[in-house]
Each structure stands twice: as C-alpha cells, then as structure tokens.
Amino acid sequence: MGYAIFSHRKVTLTSRLNFRQLDEMKIDDIQYKLASNQLELQRQLSSSGQAKSTELSEQYTLLSGIGSDDTGEREDIEAEIARITEYYDGVEQDINTQVYDLQAKENIYEMEKKRLETVITKIEKELENIEKSEASAIERANPKYDGVS
C-alpha cells in the first residue's frame, strides 16, 4: 500500500512539473516574439533616422544655394526643414513608445519565468525527496537474514 502512495505522488508531481515546464516554454516563445518585434522596431528607427538625414541633407543643400536676398524662398525651405524634423521626431517617438511597451512586457514575462523556475525547482526537490523516501522504504521493507550462506 505504501508503494502505491509513493507512486501516486510521483505521478502527480511529474504531471505538475511537466505543466510548469510547458508554461515556461510558452513564455520563452512569447519572449522570442517580443525580442523579434523589438529588433524590427530598432530597424524601423534606424531606417527613419536615415530617411530623415537624407531629406534634411537635400533641404540644407537647397538652403546653401540660395542668395541672401531670396528671403521668401529661404523661409519656405526652413519651414520644410522644420516640417521634416517634426514629422520624423514624431515617428521616432512613436517607435520609442512601442519599444518601451515591449520592454515592459518583456520584464513582466521575465518575472513570470523566474517565478515558474522557482516552482519547478520546488517540485523537482519534492520529487527527489519522494524518490529518496521510496528507496528508503523499500530498503527497510526487504527482510534481512543473518547467518544465511
């Protein structure tokens, strides 16, 4: 009867352990997707910075070719420079906000993963203790004969 209790407990613990490890794998998958999204946002940020530099470079080139007496054209180019800067600053801010949100989610999942690792460690230790107790019970249950040759 005692061995059945050990076996039942081991099956229960093994099942719990498997479910927690599955949860941990799901979190790993989510973290991978978040990291991929964050990498894509970083690529977009870099691309946006490059486009901004290109457009501003063109405008500054136009601005450098204007004489001092063409104030109307100079003001138009300066307004365009301001518009370009404002647009790309907004794009960069949006991307940075998304990156921040992804990092916050990543932190949440990292804490959940650490919690699961703690639970898994606890279950593994309990399973190990059950196996030791079972081995000890089996050893004590075997009859010992003295003087038998």
Side-chain angles (χ1 to χ4, degrees):
M1 177 78 175
Y3 303 120
I5 292 172
F6 285 126
S7 295
H8 179 267
R9 186 66 182 152
K10 283 179 12 181
V11 168
T12 302
L13 287 173
T14 302
S15 176
R16 284 180 53 205
L17 180 63
N18 289 339
F19 280 118
R20 295 306 163 255
Q21 288 173 334
L22 178 63
D23 290 342
E24 188 177 32
M25 286 174 37
K26 288 177 183 177
I27 287 175
D28 284 340
D29 188 47
I30 292 169
Q31 285 179 315
Y32 173 78
K33 289 176 184 175
L34 289 173
S36 295
N37 290 343
Q38 190 171 359
L39 187 60
E40 175 61 24
L41 288 172
Q42 292 295 337
R43 188 195 62 73
Q44 289 176 9
L45 190 61
S46 176
S47 177
S48 173
Q50 186 177 17
K52 177 182 176 181
S53 295
T54 301
E55 287 187 37
L56 286 176
S57 173
E58 291 170 1
Q59 294 301 315
Y60 284 118
T61 301
L62 289 174
L63 190 61
S64 68
I66 294 178
S68 60
D69 54 344
D70 294 329
T71 57
E73 192 175 347
R74 177 178 296 281
E75 288 174 359
D76 290 345
I77 293 173
E78 287 174 348
E80 182 63 14
I81 289 172
R83 186 199 61 77
I84 291 169
T85 302
E86 184 179 336
Y87 170 76
Y88 282 106
D89 287 350
V91 169
E92 290 172 4
Q93 186 172 354
D94 289 344
I95 292 172
N96 285 330
T97 300
Q98 291 176 35
V99 167
Y100 177 79
D101 290 344
L102 286 176
Q103 287 173 342
K105 287 178 185 178
E106 228 175 58
N107 288 338
I108 290 169
Y109 283 111
E110 187 63 33
M111 288 189 306
E112 179 63 17
K113 186 174 177 180
K114 286 180 182 179
R115 186 193 67 79
L116 277 173
E117 288 172 352
T118 302
V119 169
I120 288 170
T121 301
K122 179 183 173 212
I123 292 171
E124 287 172 339
K125 285 181 182 179
E126 188 174 349
L127 187 59
E128 185 180 308
N129 287 336
I130 293 293
E131 289 171 348
K132 284 180 184 177
S133 297
E134 180 183 36
S136 176
I138 290 171
E139 188 178 304
R140 285 192 310 265
N142 286 337
K144 299 203 177 16
Y145 299 102
D146 289 335
V148 177
S149 22

